[in-house]
């Protein structure tokens, strides 16, 4: 696999570093791929992630951002993977969706997982965010990408019309 040839974009749902350790080295390696990368902060990144991303040509800090390309709308919301009812997430998705055309393919990227799914299950306890699940129900994205719950990395679930995945550190290549 060669990013740039086989991959149009790279998406990181947070926790790309261990509390900032080797962050510049990691991002330098991704930047050398010359493939656009969109990254949101997880709970393992400190507040300096945005400033570090600004130093790279191919990396975009995307927390609370809407990115539209061709017929795709990507909605990015990072940080607080521990929230179980994040009103700021609700407000972000409600506001950002006002700028999304009805016929666009919607892709939501969040650090935290939606509640009551395989992605938020830790030993039978659901620890995800109800507002993220509500956003999926309300806006029906075709794809939802998250991270945070390291025990569920690599898992996926189809919820009604939405493929929900937690790619993990090895990543996943998806053709949309």
């Amino acid at each position: 696999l060669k990013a740039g040839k086989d991959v149009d974009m790279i998406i990181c749902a947070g926790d790309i570093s261990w509390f900032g350790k080797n962050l510049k080295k990691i991002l330098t390696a991704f930047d050398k791929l010359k493939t656009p990368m969109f990254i949101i902060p997880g709970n393992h990144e400190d507040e300096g992630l945005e400033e570090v991303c600004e130093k790279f040509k191919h990396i975009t800090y995307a927390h609370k951002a809407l990115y539209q390309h061709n017929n795709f709308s990507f909605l990015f919301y990072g940080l607080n993977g521990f929230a179980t009812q994040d009103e700021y997430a609700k407000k972000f998705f409600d506001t950002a969706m006002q700028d999304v055309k009805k016929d666009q393919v919607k892709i939501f990227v969040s650090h935290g997982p939606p509640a009551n799914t395989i992605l938020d299950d830790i030993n039978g306890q659901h620890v995800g965010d109800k507002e993220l699940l509500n956003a999926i129900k309300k806006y029906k994205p075709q794809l939802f990408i998250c991270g945070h719950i390291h025990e569920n990395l690599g898992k996926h679930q189809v919820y009604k019309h939405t493929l929900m995945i937690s790619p993990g550190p090895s990543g996943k290549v998806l053709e949309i």
Side-chain angles (χ1 to χ4, degrees):
L1 176 69
K2 294 181 180 143
K5 180 179 179 190
D6 299 329
V7 175
D8 295 321
M9 72 182 331
I10 299 168
I11 294 173
C12 177
D15 290 354
I16 196 167
S17 68
W18 184 253
F19 300 100
K21 185 177 180 183
N22 296 320
L23 181 60
K24 289 181 185 174
K25 182 179 178 182
I26 294 165
L27 293 181
T28 297
F30 276 105
D31 197 55
K32 286 180 181 177
L33 297 173
K34 298 181 180 174
T35 299
M37 178 179 185
F38 295 85
I39 184 171
I40 58 174
N43 56 291
H44 285 202
E45 280 75 50
D46 62 18
E47 295 177 10
L49 178 63
E50 184 173 9
E51 291 78 29
V52 173
C53 289
E54 289 174 359
K55 298 176 182 177
F56 296 98
K57 181 178 181 182
H58 304 285
I59 299 174
T60 300
Y61 178 83
H63 176 52
K64 293 184 183 177
L66 167 63
Y67 172 74
Q68 295 178 311
H69 180 72
N70 295 331
N71 195 39
F72 298 93
S73 284
F74 297 83
L75 289 82
F76 295 95
Y77 187 81
L79 296 170
N80 207 353
F82 295 102
T84 57
Q85 198 153 1
D86 186 344
E87 289 295 322
Y88 295 109
K90 177 186 182 333
K91 183 177 179 181
F92 166 73
F93 284 104
D94 287 345
T95 302
M97 281 301 298
Q98 293 175 15
D99 294 324
V100 175
K101 294 176 187 154
K102 186 176 181 177
D103 62 338
Q104 287 187 304
V105 175
K106 297 176 290 295
I107 300 167
F108 290 4
V109 181
S110 171
H111 180 59
N116 303 314
T117 66
I118 194 171
L119 303 178
D120 82 321
D121 184 348
I122 300 179
N123 300 319
Q125 291 256 318
H126 290 280
V127 297
D129 191 319
K130 293 175 184 132
E131 294 300 344
L132 295 175
L133 184 62
N134 289 339
I136 291 169
K137 290 177 181 177
K138 184 175 183 178
Y139 298 115
K140 302 172 178 62
Q142 285 78 5
L143 177 62
F144 181 94
I145 301 169
C146 69
H148 185 55
I149 307 294
H150 297 201
E151 293 85 351
N152 293 332
L153 301 177
K155 292 186 178 180
H156 69 278
Q157 174 181 350
V158 176
Y159 180 84
K160 297 185 180 182
H161 45 271
T162 302
L163 171 61
M164 302 183 303
I165 64 170
S166 179
S170 299
K172 296 272 185 225
V173 176
L174 302 173
E175 184 173 344
I176 303 172

